[in-house]
């Protein structure tokens, strides 16, 4: 067992990320390691800018922290899980966190507005930037059906 084995997992509240969190906790438990669950958040201003810190900004950060806390509380088992809420683009935040990780775990699709066919855009971008091995946990069958556009109309 390696107490220094670190599994970083991205959590955005989507079914896919919750499945990834559960898988990461199980994997860390098998290796005697720990989990660092990370939620990245941004408060985008309509029109494309980034807001200065203010009430809406604080509210967005608080919602992200609450979501992460609830996700971790729902885990089964006793694997140590540290949480971190970081402002920034999810792919950038997770890639940076992967520098210190032994393994990065992602859900295949999150809460983005645009779905890609096989892999979510954040997962795909993060994989390209990661500094450690990456495991991508697929969405459950129902989520895959909802995400997949019809082949023929």
């Amino acid at each position: 067992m390696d107490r220094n084995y670190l599994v970083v997992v991205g959590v955005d509240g989507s079914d896919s990320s919750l499945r990834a969190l559960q898988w990461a906790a199980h994997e860390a438990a098998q290796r005697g390691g720990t989990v660092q669950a990370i939620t990245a958040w941004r408060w985008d201003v309509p029109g494309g800018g980034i807001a200065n810190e203010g009430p809406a900004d604080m509210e967005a950060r608080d919602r992200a922290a609450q979501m992460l806390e609830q996700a971790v509380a729902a885990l089964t088992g006793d694997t140590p899980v540290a949480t971190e809420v970081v402002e920034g683009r999810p792919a950038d935040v997770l890639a940076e966190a992967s520098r210190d990780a032994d393994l990065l775990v992602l859900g295949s699709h999150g809460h983005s507005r645009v779905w890609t066919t096989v892999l979510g855009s954040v997962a795909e971008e993060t994989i390209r930037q990661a500094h450690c091995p990456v495991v991508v946990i697929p969405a459950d069958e129902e989520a895959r059906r909802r995400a997949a556009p019809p082949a023929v109309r």
Side-chain angles (χ1 to χ4, degrees):
M1 287 203 231
D2 183 359
R3 289 281 173 207
N4 294 322
Y5 192 85
L6 177 62
V7 179
V8 171
V9 58
V11 181
D12 67 2
S14 66
D15 289 341
S16 222
S17 76
L18 298 176
R19 288 168 49 96
L21 176 60
Q22 188 66 51
W23 190 93
H26 178 75
E27 180 68 13
Q30 295 296 311
R31 296 177 181 267
T34 59
V35 174
Q36 181 178 11
I38 298 178
T39 294
W41 69 277
R42 272 177 79 164
W43 174 255
D44 293 329
V45 176
I50 303 299
N52 292 326
E53 192 162 310
D57 195 34
M58 299 294 283
E59 185 178 315
R61 183 175 54 216
D62 291 346
R63 277 195 315 269
Q66 182 179 24
M67 177 278 304
L68 183 57
E69 183 179 307
Q70 290 172 347
V72 170
L75 282 175
T76 58
D78 59 357
T79 302
V81 179
T83 59
E84 186 175 8
V85 179
V86 180
E87 183 177 9
R89 293 181 62 248
D92 296 340
V93 167
L94 293 169
E96 184 60 31
S98 76
R99 288 184 186 278
D100 298 323
D102 294 292
L103 184 65
L104 176 62
V105 181
L106 307 169
S108 61
H109 293 89
H111 284 305
S112 72
R113 290 182 214 141
V114 178
W115 289 79
T116 58
T117 306
V118 177
L119 194 62
S121 58
V122 170
E124 183 176 349
E125 187 178 349
T126 304
I127 289 167
R128 294 177 196 274
Q129 298 179 48
H131 300 277
C132 67
V134 179
V135 171
V136 179
I137 304 301
D140 67 9
E141 186 60 36
E142 183 179 331
R144 285 195 296 266
R145 272 196 302 276
R146 287 190 315 259
V152 178
R153 289 209 183 244

